[in-house]
Amino acid sequence: MMGRYYNHACGGIVFFLVFYAIVITADDYTVADGNKSILVALGCFWCAEQAFEQYAPGVVEVVSGYAGGVNENPTYRNHPEHYEVVLIEYDPNKTSYEILVNYAYRNMDPFDAHGQFCDKGKSYYPAIFYQNEKERMTAEKVLAEILEMYPDWSEDKIKAPILERPTFWTAEEYHQNYYIKNPLNYGYYKNACRRSQRLKEVWGEDEYKCYHEEEYSCFNMTVLNANGTKVKAELNAKNAPEETAGLLSRTQIIVISICGAVVLIGLIFLVKSKTYTHNKECIA
């Protein structure tokens, strides 16, 4: 009787521990039935979000967040050791993990061990994450193909590791769709960081264009999905507008506008004062 009790008790404890482990390691974002997801770190998650949502085929949604750190429920002000990452939800009937890994590499500076572009520190380190052995092998295959394309590169100089996928935590709402909600600020930040310029320097103008155009012309508007079937490429599911150049931030534009208005009012006042003084002298 006691043995049966202990068996039940042990079984209950094991079930609880397994259930607890699943709960605490599960992402806090759930993809739709039939869809899959990939996790990558490419520096600033605003820019990674735009790159995949606007230019990568088969992408349903991209969510900015944190992963790989020491605390649960991280925030922008408190995410020690976490990467800034994006979780890319995709339709496996319209794209594949392999294609999206290719996009991830073309949106990073793989030689920067200190961060990405103008952002430095652990939060901005680049990385590719895999969820199972098949994905790990695929990511390594993509990297090997890239090294063949660029014979001057060597694997030991690539500073973006291929790592087991950690738990994903969704970032604050104001970070989501930032490039859509704040086009001027986003465009200014991206331009000031020289993100596009550096990607062109690393990958070359032609390769950059292939992975940053909605026409998908380099791939004849077709893509091999997760089943190896050729399908028509579908991009920019959110119909995001063309990127704003952003030579000035929204705040700078407001400040310049206010200063311009103040100067204009001052000039008007000065002209009126001089006119009044001149009229007064004429009357006298």
Side-chain angles (χ1 to χ4, degrees), residues 250-263:
R250 185 167 175 266
T251 302
Q252 289 172 322
I253 291 173
I254 291 172
V255 170
I256 290 172
S257 298
I258 292 172
C259 290
V262 170
V263 170

Side-chain angles (χ1 to χ4, degrees), residues 3-246:
R4 187 181 304 170
Y5 170 78
Y6 282 123
N7 286 339
H8 282 304
C10 290
I13 291 170
V14 170
F15 174 80
F16 173 78
L17 290 174
V18 171
F19 175 78
Y20 183 71
I22 291 171
V23 169
I24 65 170
T25 58
D27 296 335
D28 72 352
Y29 175 86
T30 304
V31 302
D33 289 343
N35 289 347
K36 293 185 177 183
S37 68
I38 172 176
L39 198 68
V40 295
L42 304 172
C44 169
F45 43 34
W46 297 343
C47 299
E49 191 174 334
Q50 185 228 352
F52 278 93
E53 285 192 340
Q54 206 152 7
Y55 304 119
V59 170
V60 176
E61 181 67 73
V62 181
V63 186
S64 292
Y66 315 100
V70 298
N71 63 325
E72 296 181 17
N73 299 304
T75 64
Y76 189 69
R77 298 297 178 191
N78 182 30
H79 59 279
E81 301 301 308
H82 282 278
Y83 290 89
E84 280 199 12
V85 297
V86 287
L87 182 149
I88 302 145
E89 180 179 357
Y90 66 94
D91 184 344
N93 295 310
K94 298 178 180 179
T95 191
S96 68
Y97 175 84
E98 181 173 347
I99 286 172
L100 298 178
V101 169
N102 269 290
Y103 268 83
Y105 275 113
R106 269 70 172 194
N107 278 284
M108 70 164 75
D109 177 354
F111 306 115
D112 191 343
H114 305 291
Q116 288 290 283
F117 312 102
C118 66
D119 295 312
K120 304 302 177 185
K122 173 67 189 291
S123 297
Y124 303 105
Y125 288 179
I128 305 291
F129 299 101
Y130 62 86
Q131 200 159 234
N132 50 50
E133 188 64 11
K134 182 180 178 183
E135 287 188 351
R136 182 186 68 78
M137 292 174 67
T138 299
E140 290 178 350
K141 171 176 170 280
V142 170
L143 177 56
E145 290 171 349
I146 288 171
L147 292 174
E148 283 184 18
M149 287 179 62
Y150 295 87
D152 293 339
W153 297 5
S154 59
E155 189 170 355
D156 63 306
K157 292 188 177 175
I158 302 297
K159 304 306 179 184
I162 297 171
L163 304 172
E164 187 173 358
R165 178 169 167 166
T167 302
F168 171 80
W169 303 93
T170 303
E172 295 84 342
E173 179 57 33
Y174 68 88
H175 286 302
Q176 311 302 331
N177 297 312
Y178 190 87
Y179 73 100
I180 295 175
K181 294 186 289 190
N182 301 280
L184 286 175
N185 285 352
Y186 172 75
Y188 171 76
Y189 161 79
K190 184 176 176 181
N191 185 60
C193 267
R194 297 189 71 254
R195 191 179 184 101
S196 298
Q197 296 93 318
R198 178 57 183 160
L199 289 175
K200 290 174 184 177
E201 290 169 3
V202 171
W203 297 95
E205 293 272 353
D206 292 341
E207 192 75 355
Y208 176 86
K209 182 183 176 185
C210 284
Y211 286 86
H212 294 86
E213 64 166 10
E214 291 186 36
E215 291 75 21
Y216 212 62
S217 60
C218 294
F219 307 99
N220 299 316
M221 280 304 294
T222 59
V223 59
L224 286 180
N225 66 16
N227 299 318
T229 304
K230 187 180 285 188
V231 295
K232 182 181 178 182
E234 295 181 20
L235 300 83
N236 197 5
K238 291 185 178 178
N239 292 315
E242 190 174 340
E243 184 181 325
T244 304

